[in-house]
């Protein structure tokens, strides 16, 4: 291995105490985590160690200035029970795009894949088998410079933790189109998975929930006219037999699920348009009975049907989920592909392998 790993196994696995039949999202963490340090552009001290607290300086610039990025991906078991990953190179690409925007170290693909493979291989017993469940993988990186002046730094910590999880949403999602808060603006960091993007959504989310909605449907910052995305999901509208999703204009995260769903929709011979879509267009389609489906797409939620869209004091109620064609078919196909239960026609699945075990043999 180009980046040698130090391995320290836990002496007290918590696996036996996990109730795999009742998993919520993001509450439990597996036995081990991966940690590495970047010093002046060089990745060193790669290690898999027992999951636990991470010591760092209170002067760390991540704490003060939010120089933190992350990713979200999942591991599944194939029908033989072997661990598999879904499109891990796409997350690597996006992580480095986020890193570049936040002036942080790039992660070499080999380090990314080695870290994921070794960690998931070691904790593969933590991958749940129940339908809808998986091992959520959270890679993240933050600046560790002990300096509270503001400057780009060359010291970072890269960590991966994993978490056995159940469904993110247990029922269709009610969203409200934002008419005063803004998630992302051209020239900003909307296309990056930067932590600050999410911190800034807590208050709008709280307000949306007080109004009886589950999530915010973000709109552009100039006019609050065009749809952007929903919470931590990209959005698709099916209008009169055409799938429309906002184009990647720099304010929207380039979702791995979004891309996968577009490829699936095209394979169903549905026309897919990546373009600006205004809330007026959605409202007009709804009034004419042409808004067939609306759903969010994301790693955590997979394909999440939207049941209601609040917009300018009115609420659009979408057709019952069981009557919709696309969100159901997409969800079923995507989940089957991710679990190796359907032919992998798009080459999305990667088998988890350990180089360390091979080296030991
Ligand atoms: C803001 C935002 N949009 C969209 C997505 C969906 O991206 P993906 O499908 O890669 O999980 C996410 C989740 O990562 C997100 O945080």
């Amino acid at each position: 291995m180009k980046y040698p790993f130090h391995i320290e196994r836990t002496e007290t696995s918590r696996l036996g105490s996990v109730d795999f039949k009742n998993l919520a999202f993001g509450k439990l963490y597996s036995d081990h985590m991966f940690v590495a340090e970047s010093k002046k552009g060089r990745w060193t001290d790669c290690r898999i160690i027992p999951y636990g607290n991470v010591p760092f300086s209170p002067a760390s610039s991540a704490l003060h200035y939010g120089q933190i990025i992350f990713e979200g991906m999942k591991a599944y078991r194939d029908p033989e029970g072997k661990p598999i990953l879904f499109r891990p190179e796409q997350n690597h690409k996006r992580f480095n795009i986020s890193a570049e925007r936040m002036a942080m170290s790039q992660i070499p693909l080999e380090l990314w894949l080695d870290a994921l493979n070794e960690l998931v291989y070691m904790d593969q017993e933590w991958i749940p088998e129940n339908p809808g469940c998986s091992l959520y993988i959270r890679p993240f990186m933050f600046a560790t410079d002990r300096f509270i002046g503001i400057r780009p730094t060359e010291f970072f910590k890269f960590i991966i933790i994993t978490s056995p999880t159940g469904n993110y949403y247990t029922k269709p999602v009610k969203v409200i189109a934002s008419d005063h808060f803004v998630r992302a603006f051209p020239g900003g960091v909307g296309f990056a998975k930067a932590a600050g993007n999410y911190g800034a959504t807590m208050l709008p989310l709280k307000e949306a929930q007080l109004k009886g909605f589950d999530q915010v449907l973000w709109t552009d910052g100039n006019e609050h006219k065009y749809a952007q995305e929903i919470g931590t999901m990209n959005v698709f509208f099916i209008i009169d037999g055409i799938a429309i999703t906002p184009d990647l204009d720099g304010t929207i995260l380039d979702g791995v699920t979004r891309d996968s769903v577009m490829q699936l929709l095209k394979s169903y011979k549905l026309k897919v348009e990546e373009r600006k879509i205004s809330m007026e267009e959605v409202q007009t389609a709804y009034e004419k009975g042409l808004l067939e489906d609306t759903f969010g797409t994301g790693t955590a939620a997979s394909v999440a049907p939207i049941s209601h869209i609040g917009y300018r004091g009115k609420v659009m109620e979408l057709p019952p989920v069981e009557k919709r064609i696309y969100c159901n078919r997409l969800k079923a196909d995507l989940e089957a592909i991710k679990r190796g239960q359907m032919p992998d026609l798009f080459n999305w699945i990667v088998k988890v392998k350990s180089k360390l075990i091979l080296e030991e043999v």
Side-chain angles (χ1 to χ4, degrees):
M1 282 164 87
K2 186 168 169 201
Y3 300 91
F5 282 21
H6 165 77
I7 306 277
E8 182 193 334
R9 282 179 189 273
T10 180
E11 285 171 11
T12 47
S13 170
R14 290 170 281 109
L15 190 60
S17 63
V18 179
D19 179 3
F20 278 98
K21 291 204 178 80
N22 290 300
L23 289 172
F25 186 88
K27 297 215 163 154
L28 288 172
Y29 298 94
S30 318
D31 278 335
H32 298 93
M33 62 185 186
F34 172 85
V35 185
E37 318 289 335
S38 177
K39 295 174 187 163
K40 302 204 166 200
R42 264 191 57 244
W43 283 101
T44 61
D45 302 333
C46 302
R47 54 208 189 267
I48 293 179
I49 55 176
Y51 175 88
N53 292 346
V54 180
F56 56 86
S57 160
S60 152
S61 49
L63 285 180
H64 299 270
Y65 308 120
Q67 217 182 352
I68 310 173
I69 59 168
F70 66 100
E71 265 306 320
M73 47 203 297
K74 282 176 169 175
Y76 304 83
R77 285 176 196 266
D78 71 10
E80 277 120 52
K82 298 267 187 326
I84 50 179
L85 298 169
F86 182 72
R87 308 188 73 185
E89 296 195 10
Q90 296 298 310
N91 295 89
H92 170 257
K93 199 168 127 199
R94 192 169 65 190
F95 197 75
N96 277 346
I97 289 172
S98 302
E100 186 186 10
R101 177 62 182 83
M102 299 297 286
M104 300 172 86
S105 275
Q106 295 283 297
I107 306 255
L109 180 61
E110 187 174 348
L111 173 60
W112 178 266
L113 292 177
D114 283 353
L116 282 171
N117 274 289
E118 299 304 334
L119 184 66
V120 174
Y121 192 91
M122 187 179 280
D123 277 343
Q124 58 183 282
E125 297 300 317
W126 286 80
I127 307 176
E129 284 180 53
N130 293 356
C133 298
S134 54
L135 187 71
Y136 185 78
I137 305 171
R138 169 54 62 88
F140 60 108
M141 173 162 61
F142 56 93
T144 51
D145 202 2
R146 296 172 210 159
F147 177 65
I148 49 169
I150 300 183
R151 67 174 180 200
T153 174
E154 292 187 285
F155 298 92
F156 303 97
K157 212 180 256 296
F158 171 46
I159 302 184
I160 308 177
I161 56 176
T162 68
S163 165
T165 54
N167 287 319
Y168 197 82
Y169 293 113
T170 48
K171 54 183 177 45
V173 183
K174 294 182 183 172
V175 300
I176 180 164
S178 166
D179 57 8
H180 61 294
F181 288 116
V182 180
R183 176 187 173 273
F185 212 78
V189 288
F191 64 90
K193 241 173 131 56
N197 279 341
Y198 299 80
T201 64
M202 303 299 172
L203 178 65
L205 180 60
K206 212 164 143 185
E207 282 194 7
Q209 289 174 344
L210 283 174
K211 289 180 188 155
F213 294 90
D214 304 305
Q215 274 297 348
V216 178
L217 168 56
W218 297 106
T219 51
D220 73 281
N222 283 321
E223 303 171 86
H224 292 294
K225 181 172 176 181
Y226 297 102
Q228 288 181 330
E229 51 188 324
I230 295 173
T232 58
M233 299 188 289
N234 294 108
V235 63
F236 284 78
F237 302 93
I238 312 270
I239 297 180
D240 200 14
I242 297 176
I244 304 160
T245 190
D247 56 323
L248 302 174
D249 64 354
T251 64
I252 293 168
L253 198 80
D254 182 359
V256 179
T257 323
R258 173 186 182 275
D259 180 73
S260 312
V261 158
M262 285 200 297
Q263 294 195 46
L264 281 172
L265 286 169
K266 286 176 190 166
S267 77
Y268 303 160
K269 305 278 180 258
L270 197 78
K271 190 169 175 211
V272 179
E273 293 179 356
E274 285 179 86
R275 63 164 170 86
K276 301 232 166 306
I277 174 158
S278 69
M279 291 310 296
E280 279 94 346
E281 181 179 349
V282 174
Q283 174 93 44
T284 307
Y286 173 75
E287 283 161 7
K288 289 185 180 165
L290 298 175
L291 182 59
E292 295 161 29
D293 204 346
T294 302
F295 51 85
T297 63
T299 298
S302 181
V303 177
I306 304 302
S307 61
H308 298 80
I309 306 174
Y311 173 58
R312 297 210 170 139
K314 291 189 185 163
V315 178
M316 300 174 234
E317 187 173 347
L318 277 102
V321 174
E322 46 307 343
K323 292 213 173 129
R324 300 194 212 168
I325 304 168
Y326 291 106
C327 64
N328 291 317
R329 182 170 176 196
L330 284 166
K331 185 167 186 159
D333 286 354
L334 199 57
E335 287 303 296
I337 295 172
K338 286 177 171 182
R339 284 161 209 282
Q341 295 162 349
M342 238 173 95
D344 180 21
L345 299 178
F346 302 94
N347 284 324
W348 287 337
I349 297 304
V350 174
K351 283 187 184 275
V352 173
K353 288 193 187 117
S354 167
K355 289 185 188 168
L356 288 173
I357 302 284
L358 293 178
E359 280 174 8
E360 271 171 25
V361 170

